[in-house]
Amino acid sequence: MAINDDKGTPWGGKQPSPPDIDQIIKQGLDRFKSGLPGGGASGPLSIVAIVLLIVSIWSAYYTVPSDSVAVVQRFGMYLKEVPPGLHFKLPLSIDQATIVPVKRQLKQEFGFSTPGARDQYQTPRSRDGGRETQMVTGDLNAALVEWVVQYRISDPSKFLFAVREPAETLRYVSESVMREVVGDRTVDEVITIGRQEIETEALLKMQELSTKYEMGISIDQVQLKNINPPKPVQESFNEVNQAQQEKEKLINEARRDYNKVIPLAEGEKDQRIREADGYRLKRINEAEGDVARFNALFTEYSKAPEVTRRRMYIETMQEVMPQIESKILVDDEMGGLLPLLNIGAMKGGKE
């Protein structure tokens, strides 16, 4: 494309024509060929140079996923970490970018494997799968322990350069810690009541060793899965467990009956004690009342014996006479004819 003269400038009053893209590309290729050996002669060497240029441009760009960062090395030396997105690096293996998933939760399984796992260190190797679950407890019993370790990459540079094969090292660390923790407890604690305590202690010790070895790993969770006795003794172990469960069942039933009968007996006991206390207080009060009344009568009797004696006689007769249905009065002074006064008949006649 020719350069516009003065008539083609805005001052000349004529609009410039738009650039031709094909012509620009052709000029660029001609300039690239002119710089090649042989003055741009066509041939295998020029084709190789073009291919090399395209590959260099293609390898200079790379994309980092949203859950990862890229660790860039220049001639094998650590250079920097780059965040997620599209980035540029020097081509021809001058710069190398390694993608590290720092926001993704990774896991390692011991004693079992999940189908479709991509990480070679996530599942146990076939020759070690059964061995790593065989453990000896503190009471010298054997148990097959399966567990899962969930972790994240906290420091990409340490994860890549501080330790050779950090994921494999983590498997060895996890197995060592789990054997230590399980070996401090009885088999009953491992299978039943001690699972939560084992998980917590194993998590702390794994994190401590990961920090000590500068593995760049943060342990999120340690979870026990299946815990079983070895297969040769599994039937006997199940029978023992059934016997223990039956024992617990009978104990619970006995406690239920105890809680049902004992409170009822305690209530009856308290009721009878209160009744006895009430009767005791009643008799004491009656006796004290009788004593006080006798003392009062005795005092009055001392003052006027005849009057008191007559009054006591009259009061006694007032209490006794109404209870007698048939009453006969006899006069001791009369002799011969028996005087008779039938008070009961007279009282009935009036009615």
Side-chain angles (χ1 to χ4, degrees), residues 3 50 90 97 129 132 182 187 197 215 244 246 257 262 274 283 286 298 311 316 330 335 338 351:
I3 302 176
I50 294 174
L90 296 180
E132 65 185 9
V182 171
V187 66
E197 185 178 353
M215 299 167 59
Q244 291 179 348
E246 186 68 21
D257 295 338
I262 296 302
R274 287 193 295 269
R283 295 297 298 169
E286 288 178 354
F298 181 75
R311 182 171 64 82
T316 302
V330 178
L338 179 64
E351 293 175 357

Side-chain angles (χ1 to χ4, degrees), residues 202-338:
L203 172 63
L204 296 176
K205 290 188 175 182
M206 289 181 192
Q207 185 60 60
E208 181 181 356
L209 290 177
S210 299
T211 304
K212 179 180 179 181
Y213 296 156
E214 297 183 353
M215 299 167 59
I217 291 176
S218 175
I219 309 297
D220 291 340
Q221 185 180 13
V222 176
Q223 184 179 6
L224 293 177
K225 291 296 185 181
N226 298 325
I227 302 177
N228 298 309
K231 292 183 179 180
V233 298
Q234 192 165 4
E235 294 183 0
S236 300
F237 192 85
N238 292 334
E239 292 179 358
V240 172
N241 287 337
Q242 291 178 359
Q244 291 179 348
Q245 293 176 1
E246 186 68 21
K247 170 187 173 183
E248 295 294 332
K249 178 182 177 181
L250 295 176
I251 291 176
N252 292 332
E253 291 178 354
R255 288 178 177 174
R256 181 191 61 191
D257 295 338
Y258 174 86
N259 294 330
K260 180 179 179 181
V261 174
I262 296 302
L264 180 61
E266 293 287 343
E268 293 180 356
K269 180 194 71 174
D270 294 338
Q271 180 181 1
R272 293 191 179 184
I273 290 175
R274 287 193 295 269
E275 289 177 356
D277 288 338
Y279 181 75
R280 176 180 62 85
L281 293 175
K282 177 183 176 182
R283 295 297 298 169
I284 291 174
N285 293 333
E286 288 178 354
E288 291 178 351
D290 294 341
V291 171
R293 184 176 60 180
F294 180 81
N295 291 334
L297 290 176
F298 181 75
T299 302
E300 296 299 327
Y301 181 81
S302 299
K303 295 179 181 178
E306 187 63 27
V307 175
T308 302
R309 187 183 303 112
R310 188 171 183 82
R311 182 171 64 82
M312 292 176 61
Y313 174 76
I314 295 173
E315 291 177 353
T316 302
M317 295 304 294
Q318 286 179 350
E319 295 178 359
V320 173
M321 294 300 291
Q323 300 178 4
I324 301 176
E325 296 180 356
S326 178
K327 307 177 183 62
I328 300 174
L329 299 180
V330 178
D331 188 0
D332 295 337
E333 296 180 355
M334 296 185 62
L337 181 63
L338 179 64

Side-chain angles (χ1 to χ4, degrees), residues 104-114 117-125 129 132-133 145-153 159 163-178 206 210 215-225:
R104 188 186 309 167
Q105 189 177 63
L106 307 174
K107 69 176 180 179
Q108 291 185 350
E109 300 167 339
F110 297 83
F112 66 100
S113 60
T114 301
R118 297 181 180 179
D119 186 2
Q120 61 175 339
Y121 298 112
Q122 175 177 333
T123 58
R125 289 171 291 183
E132 65 185 9
T133 61
V145 182
E146 298 178 357
W147 74 98
V148 176
V149 177
Q150 297 179 350
Y151 67 97
R152 298 177 187 271
I153 301 175
F159 183 80
V163 178
R164 180 181 291 111
E165 299 296 344
E168 184 178 9
T169 304
L170 178 61
R171 289 196 68 89
Y172 294 142
V173 168
S174 177
E175 182 179 349
S176 175
V177 169
M178 190 59 68
M206 289 181 192
S210 299
M215 299 167 59
I217 291 176
S218 175
I219 309 297
D220 291 340
Q221 185 180 13
V222 176
Q223 184 179 6
L224 293 177
K225 291 296 185 181

